[in-house]
């Protein structure tokens, strides 16, 4: 799962959302330096990643990409799954995706002082390019994958994964839908 899913799976708790959003940039016990609810968001993020990586449906989706993209297959799959969340946003939320994204960006701006350095670095790019909304289109996914590929040491041409996305679109979407229901239930249990 990538940014959109992690934020969404945090429910209505703003500090949980912030922690879940910036968790990838927090190493080891560094999470202890944040306010309690932000710490809980970081922990939730780690639970989501563990659940996702071990889940047979997610692994089936990721397997389609593994031969061509190697260990980047998981990174790509997380973004593709966010595509299906964004594309089908109305199924999961009554709030328009555009409004949800704008509110989240404002939340980050209003809590800038508690953000990690990595979160502070990406915030301008995220808001300027409206990453959360751009997940909804294949063109947006291609741009995001290109940008991610550009930041890696060994170019994997991740943006080319839109070919597999289009080729196996219905399979990926069906797998996402089944998987996401289980993940939502898992997160609700963890939050409670």
């Amino acid at each position: 799962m990538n940014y959109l899913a992690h934020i969404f799976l945090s429910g209505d708790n703003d500090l949980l959302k912030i922690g879940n959003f910036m968790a990838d940039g927090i190493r080891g016990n560094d999470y202890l330096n944040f306010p309690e609810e932000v710490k809980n968001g970081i922990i939730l993020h780690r639970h989501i990643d563990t659940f996702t990586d071990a889940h047979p449906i997610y692994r089936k989706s990721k397997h389609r990409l593994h031969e061509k993209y190697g260990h980047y297959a998981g990174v790509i799959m997380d973004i593709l799954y966010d595509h299906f969340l964004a594309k089908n946003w109305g199924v999961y939320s009554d709030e328009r995706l555009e409004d949800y994204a704008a509110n989240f960006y404002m939340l980050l701006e209003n809590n800038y002082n508690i953000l990690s350095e990595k979160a502070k670095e990406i915030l301008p790019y995220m808001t300027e390019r409206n990453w959360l909304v751009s997940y909804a289109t294949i063109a947006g996914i291609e741009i995001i994958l290109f940008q991610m590929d550009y930041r890696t040491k060994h170019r994997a041409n991740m943006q080319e994964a839109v070919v597999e996305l289009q080729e196996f679109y219905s399979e990926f979407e069906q797998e996402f839908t089944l998987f996401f229901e289980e993940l939502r239930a898992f997160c609700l249990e963890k939050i409670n």
Side-chain angles (χ1 to χ4, degrees), residues 95-109:
E95 187 176 10
R96 290 177 54 243
L97 178 58
E98 293 79 4
D99 296 335
Y100 185 86
N103 289 334
F104 182 70
Y105 302 147
M106 187 178 299
L107 173 68
L108 294 179
E109 292 287 351

Side-chain angles (χ1 to χ4, degrees), residues 143-162:
I143 291 167
I144 288 168
L145 288 170
F146 176 79
Q147 291 167 346
M148 291 188 76
D149 194 66
Y150 186 77
R151 291 194 306 267
T152 62
K153 290 179 187 171
H154 309 288
R155 298 283 162 78
N157 295 318
M158 287 189 254
Q159 69 277 6
E160 292 177 8
V162 295

Side-chain angles (χ1 to χ4, degrees), residues 52-178:
T52 299
D53 291 343
H55 200 285
I57 294 174
Y58 177 84
R59 292 170 69 89
K60 180 179 180 182
S61 291
K62 188 172 88 166
H63 183 72
R64 286 190 195 95
L65 304 174
H66 195 270
E67 185 176 331
K68 185 172 178 184
Y69 302 101
H71 72 273
Y72 291 111
V75 173
I76 296 166
M77 205 62 248
D78 288 349
I79 292 168
L80 299 190
Y81 269 22
D82 261 19
H83 164 68
F84 292 109
L85 174 57
K87 175 191 172 252
N88 298 300
W89 185 256
V91 172
Y92 302 104
S93 177
D94 294 332
E95 187 176 10
R96 290 177 54 243
L97 178 58
E98 293 79 4
D99 296 335
Y100 185 86
N103 289 334
F104 182 70
Y105 302 147
M106 187 178 299
L107 173 68
L108 294 179
E109 292 287 351
N110 292 341
N111 290 277
Y112 191 81
N113 61 316
I114 62 171
L115 298 181
S116 66
E117 289 308 310
K118 182 178 177 187
K120 288 175 182 177
E121 284 175 26
I122 67 168
L123 181 57
Y125 302 104
M126 182 182 202
T127 55
E128 179 186 321
R129 296 183 177 125
N130 202 359
W131 287 354
L132 300 180
V133 173
S134 69
Y135 288 130
T137 66
I138 292 175
I141 291 295
E142 187 171 17
I143 291 167
I144 288 168
L145 288 170
F146 176 79
Q147 291 167 346
M148 291 188 76
D149 194 66
Y150 186 77
R151 291 194 306 267
T152 62
K153 290 179 187 171
H154 309 288
R155 298 283 162 78
N157 295 318
M158 287 189 254
Q159 69 277 6
E160 292 177 8
V162 295
V163 172
E164 286 84 4
L165 173 60
Q166 291 169 316
E167 183 179 351
F168 300 105
Y169 199 87
S170 61
E171 292 91 335
F172 281 136
E173 188 165 23
Q174 289 168 358
E175 289 159 4
F176 165 79
T177 302
L178 292 171

